[in-house]
């Protein structure tokens, strides 16, 4: 065996395989979250029922849970009843829960809420400007914002109940 | 504005009529028409660097140009400009809004990078680990060029190896009978012994010199020097009329 060829081959192949291996370990669809630890972008959005505007600025001092969802999204339907249930526990303790419609129509969302329950306001985001401000790449995405308006946690996909509760407990 | 006022009024009326148990419990600000009005695109924290473009064509051109450099978050390998996905269309609309306000491509890219990271750019900035993407192809090209040069250099050595062995390389197979006498006379007279390595090679090629391994041929137990190694068609034509004979 020609050890020189083996050594040269190893020098070329090993870093290449290492790069590929590190890439294979990641989900190519996962969008990195860069907003954690940064101030949450402000918004003033009208509720799905209409006539009321909720602004993030007015909610300072209390943790906020912001859930982007859509009626056409299957994981949202799985997650929503749990969020409704958990909101009943945390809202009395001062946590504000808000839903934001992502690329969907209000009547369809109303049907979704009738089916899966409603315990907190849902906001309209007609041009998805707020979703883009929050770096939303798909739904569901859930943000936990502390009383100072900093994003402390972002959940891509359905929230993990344990992490969700432990994050909120740390804020209360 | 009239429509907005009407909408807000309707909303108020419904809120007052409703008073149902499922009313949202979050802190809700009372609607003010001034609050409802800016439902459109929000400007960025910093002011636009340019004056707003005047023509729609210019806005469209800049929008296409900027959104071509942004990655569609819900697709694989498609730009925001090329993707028909709803999310990408919203992003393109956002780019268009910002362009029409006078924001530059750099400001808009920065806005998206702040929210999605450099992941959102189809061409990652040349910094830190991203340099790998730019330098690796050059590195591979250099390694390839080195390998080609190296393999080319080795070729005269390697090709005769293919002809080694009694089954492939025998005097009867490659040396026409009518030339045998010539070869032997040249060897005997010493006229072929002008270079050590070659002469030894020739002896082996004739199959007259035994080797420890039982092999015959130029590389049986003697490695001809690079200068004299024959290969390819030269070797087939050897010894008469070939390269060695011409010398």
């Amino acid at each position: 065996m020609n050890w020189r060829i083996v050594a040269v081959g190893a020098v070329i192949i090993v870093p290449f395989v290492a790069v590929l291996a590190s890439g294979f370990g990641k989900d190519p669809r996962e969008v990195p979250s860069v907003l954690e630890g940064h101030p949450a972008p402000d918004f003033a959005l009208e509720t799905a029922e209409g006539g009321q505007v909720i602004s993030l600025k007015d909610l300072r001092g209390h943790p906020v849970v912001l859930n982007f969802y859509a009626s056409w999204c299957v994981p949202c339907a799985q997650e929503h009843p749990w969020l409704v249930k958990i909101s009943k526990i945390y809202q009395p303790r001062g946590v504000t829960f808000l839903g934001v419609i992502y690329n969907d129509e209000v009547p369809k969302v109303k049907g979704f809420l009738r089916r899966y329950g409603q315990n907190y306001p849902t906001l309209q985001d007609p041009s998805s400007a707020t979703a883009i401000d929050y770096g939303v790449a798909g739904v569901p995405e859930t943000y936990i914002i502390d009383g100072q308006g900093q994003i402390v946690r972002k959940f891509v996909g359905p929230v993990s109940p344990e992490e969700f509760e432990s994050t909120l407990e740390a804020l209360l | 504005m009239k429509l907005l006022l009407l909408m807000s009024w309707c909303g108020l009326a419904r809120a007052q009529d409703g008073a149902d148990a499922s009313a949202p419990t979050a802190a809700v600000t009372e609607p003010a028409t001034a609050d409802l009005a800016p439902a459109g695109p929000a400007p960025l924290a910093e002011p636009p660097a340019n004056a707003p473009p005047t023509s729609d064509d210019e806005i469209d051109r800049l929008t296409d140009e900027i959104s071509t450099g942004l990655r569609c978050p819900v697709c694989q390998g498609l730009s925001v400009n090329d993707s028909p996905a709803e999310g990408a269309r919203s992003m393109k609309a956002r780019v268009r809004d910002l362009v029409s306000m006078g924001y530059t491509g750099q400001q808009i890219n920065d806005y998206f990078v702040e929210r999605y990271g450099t992941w959102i750019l189809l061409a990652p900035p040349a910094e830190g680990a991203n340099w790998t993407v730019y330098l690796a192809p050059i590195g591979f090209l250099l390694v390839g060029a080195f390998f080609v040069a190296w393999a080319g250099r080795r070729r005269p050595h390697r090709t005769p190896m293919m002809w080694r062995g009694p089954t492939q390389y025998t005097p009867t197979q490659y040396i026409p009978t009518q030339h045998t006498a010539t070869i032997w006379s040249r060897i005997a007279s010493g006229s072929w012994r002008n270079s050590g390595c070659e002469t030894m090679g020739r002896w082996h090629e004739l199959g007259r010199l035994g080797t420890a391994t039982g092999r015959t041929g130029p590389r049986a137990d003697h490695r001809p020097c690079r200068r004299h190694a024959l290969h390819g068609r030269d070797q087939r034509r050897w010894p008469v009329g070939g390269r060695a004979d011409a010398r």
Side-chain angles (χ1 to χ4, degrees):
Chain A
M1 189 180 288
N2 192 335
W3 289 106
R4 254 174 50 190
I5 293 176
V6 173
V8 170
V11 165
I12 297 167
I13 290 167
V14 167
F16 192 65
V17 171
V19 168
L20 289 180
S22 71
F24 286 140
K26 292 177 186 166
D27 179 2
R29 290 174 186 277
E30 188 185 321
V31 181
S33 172
V34 290
L35 281 178
E36 278 179 359
H38 288 78
D42 200 14
F43 58 79
L45 297 173
E46 193 182 354
T47 56
E49 281 75 24
Q52 292 169 324
V53 170
I54 295 183
S55 163
L56 185 65
K57 250 188 319 202
D58 300 335
L59 301 171
R60 284 282 156 82
H62 299 284
V64 175
V65 173
L66 197 61
N67 173 241
F68 289 86
Y69 71 97
S71 69
W72 44 261
C73 145
V74 177
C76 304
Q78 292 165 346
E79 176 192 59
H80 197 82
W82 183 83
L83 275 174
V84 168
K85 199 178 89 183
I86 205 82
S87 70
K88 287 178 181 164
I89 299 169
Y90 282 99
Q91 269 182 346
R93 296 177 64 187
V95 180
T96 304
F97 282 70
L98 295 171
V100 181
I101 303 172
Y102 178 77
N103 286 333
D104 205 355
E105 295 160 24
V106 174
K108 288 183 182 170
V109 171
K110 283 183 176 170
F112 176 93
L113 293 175
R114 270 196 297 277
R115 186 165 175 193
Y116 295 105
Q118 181 181 15
N119 189 47
Y120 49 85
T122 284
L123 310 175
Q124 300 180 46
D125 183 19
S127 59
S128 294
T130 301
I132 295 169
D133 271 349
Y134 276 80
V136 173
V139 276
E141 281 194 14
T142 307
Y143 294 79
I144 297 182
I145 301 163
D146 68 11
Q148 286 75 47
Q150 301 273 321
I151 295 176
V152 288
R153 188 75 170 85
K154 172 186 179 180
F155 294 93
V156 177
V159 297
S160 130
E162 296 81 20
E163 278 185 63
F164 184 87
E165 286 180 52
S166 65
T167 311
L168 275 187
E169 288 296 338
L171 293 178
L172 291 171
Chain B
M1 188 52 86
K2 271 184 184 169
L3 185 70
L4 281 173
L5 278 168
L6 188 69
M7 278 170 65
S8 73
W9 179 81
C10 289
L12 259 178
R14 223 172 335 171
Q16 283 161 358
D17 290 350
D20 55 348
S22 67
T25 52
V28 172
T29 55
E30 275 307 304
T33 44
D35 277 340
L36 280 173
L44 308 186
E46 55 177 317
N50 290 343
T54 45
S55 73
D56 275 359
D57 286 349
E58 180 67 0
I59 293 173
D60 288 341
R61 189 186 65 77
L62 286 169
T63 303
D64 286 354
E65 190 183 307
I66 295 163
S67 54
T68 299
L70 296 174
R71 186 201 293 227
C72 161
V74 289
C75 336
Q76 294 287 304
L78 271 182
S79 76
V80 163
N81 193 34
D82 297 327
S83 169
E86 193 81 28
R89 290 212 319 248
S90 305
M91 284 172 77
K92 191 174 174 182
R94 183 74 170 133
V95 171
R96 197 175 196 287
D97 290 336
L98 294 172
V99 164
S100 58
M101 285 180 219
Y103 286 99
T104 62
Q106 187 59 51
Q107 284 180 307
I108 295 169
N109 278 353
D110 290 347
Y111 163 78
F112 280 99
V113 167
E114 267 174 38
R115 279 143 185 88
Y116 294 90
T118 51
W119 178 92
I120 200 74
L121 301 175
L122 276 175
E127 59 186 27
N130 291 349
W131 273 110
T132 320
V133 180
Y134 293 94
L135 296 181
I138 300 170
F140 282 125
L141 207 65
L142 288 176
V143 168
F146 173 78
F147 181 77
V148 167
W150 178 74
R153 200 174 58 95
R154 297 269 301 177
R155 203 171 168 194
H157 272 296
R158 295 175 69 85
T159 314
M161 291 278 283
M162 296 169 66
W163 298 92
R164 188 173 68 186
T167 55
Q168 284 192 356
Y169 196 85
T170 58
T172 48
Q173 206 172 343
Y174 289 102
I175 303 171
T177 321
Q178 67 266 31
H179 300 312
T180 314
T182 320
I183 296 161
W184 273 110
S185 66
R186 287 190 187 184
I187 289 169
S189 69
S191 63
W192 278 43
R193 215 166 294 152
N194 47 10
S195 90
C197 63
E198 188 180 73
T199 309
M200 289 300 286
R202 294 284 146 78
W203 275 90
H204 285 298
E205 279 170 331
L206 286 167
R208 297 296 180 192
L209 199 64
T211 68
T213 56
R215 288 175 179 168
T216 57
R219 308 232 3 219
D221 65 350
H222 171 77
R223 196 183 173 94
C225 57
R226 192 179 303 154
R227 190 159 61 87
H228 291 114
L230 294 173
H231 55 86
R233 284 170 50 181
D234 276 353
Q235 184 153 354
R236 284 172 208 260
R237 285 189 281 129
W238 184 84
V240 178
R243 203 174 73 181
D245 203 44
R247 195 187 306 126

